[in-house]
Amino acid sequence: MFFGQFEHTIDDKGRLTIPACFRDELTDGTYITVGFDNNLIGMNQHNLESLSHKIRQHNIMNEDVRKQRRMVYSFATLVQADKMGRILIPQNLRDAIKLESNVVINGAGDYFEIWSASQWHAESDQLLNSDLKDKRFENLDLTFEES
């Protein structure tokens, strides 16, 4: 699973260092695609296959389903880390979210997200706003099961 926040820089060639604690989950490569919040998402093959299975369960006669498929699949690419743990973020993905040189990589459980630092700081401020947090999460059952 992917946890934590890490500030990194993309070099002039578009290479980004993946946090060392994420690399064991990505030994067969990293699938990168556009996310849902003006960010990129990265995951291993197993999680991409799981997501893909869920997407394929929906009827392609539905316009939103087709748009979701296009968004996920047409931007998706498999990248391999080099010996220094860097991956190349393709130019089309950098352009799609206006990725700046300063980025934040944050864990999201089954996947991780790549944000421009300025975008992430705005998102993070909203996440930490207690009024918005209470309203946003009030309907989610996040109780722990007794062991």
Side-chain angles (χ1 to χ4, degrees):
M1 299 211 42
F2 301 100
F3 298 100
Q5 286 182 41
F6 307 88
E7 294 193 18
H8 285 269
T9 304
I10 293 183
D11 69 15
D12 293 339
K13 295 180 181 177
R15 295 176 299 191
L16 174 65
T17 301
I18 295 297
C21 61
F22 288 4
R23 294 179 201 160
D24 285 345
E25 293 280 331
L26 303 168
T27 55
D28 293 327
T30 305
Y31 289 88
I32 305 285
T33 192
V34 292
F36 302 100
D37 298 299
N38 200 33
N39 61 350
L40 300 175
I41 58 175
M43 65 195 80
N44 60 30
Q45 182 175 347
H46 172 78
N47 290 338
L48 177 70
E49 288 172 359
S50 178
L51 175 65
S52 183
H53 176 76
K54 289 177 183 179
I55 290 171
R56 291 190 322 260
Q57 299 302 307
H58 297 281
N59 187 341
I60 63 170
M61 295 305 292
N62 180 310
E63 181 181 2
D64 289 336
V65 170
R66 292 191 307 272
K67 288 184 182 298
Q68 181 185 51
R69 283 175 171 236
R70 285 181 205 127
M71 190 178 92
V72 171
Y73 295 127
S74 69
F75 286 94
T77 188
L78 173 62
V79 294
Q80 299 291 337
D82 65 14
K83 292 178 182 178
M84 298 182 68
R86 298 174 302 187
I87 60 170
L88 177 65
I89 306 294
Q91 187 67 51
N92 70 318
L93 291 177
R94 287 183 273 152
D95 291 345
I97 66 162
K98 298 176 179 61
L99 198 59
E100 303 162 352
S101 61
N102 294 323
V103 303
V104 175
I105 302 170
N106 66 291
D110 293 330
Y111 61 95
F112 63 92
E113 299 175 328
I114 301 169
W115 294 77
S116 284
S118 60
Q119 287 281 95
W120 173 250
H121 294 303
E123 177 72 12
S124 181
D125 288 346
Q126 281 191 339
L127 289 172
L128 297 174
N129 180 309
S130 61
D131 292 335
L132 293 174
K133 193 172 15 175
D134 290 345
K135 290 176 184 156
R136 183 175 289 127
F137 303 129
E138 68 187 353
N139 293 324
L140 299 178
D141 179 11
L142 297 177
T143 56
F144 292 98
E145 294 181 21
E146 292 186 37
S147 40

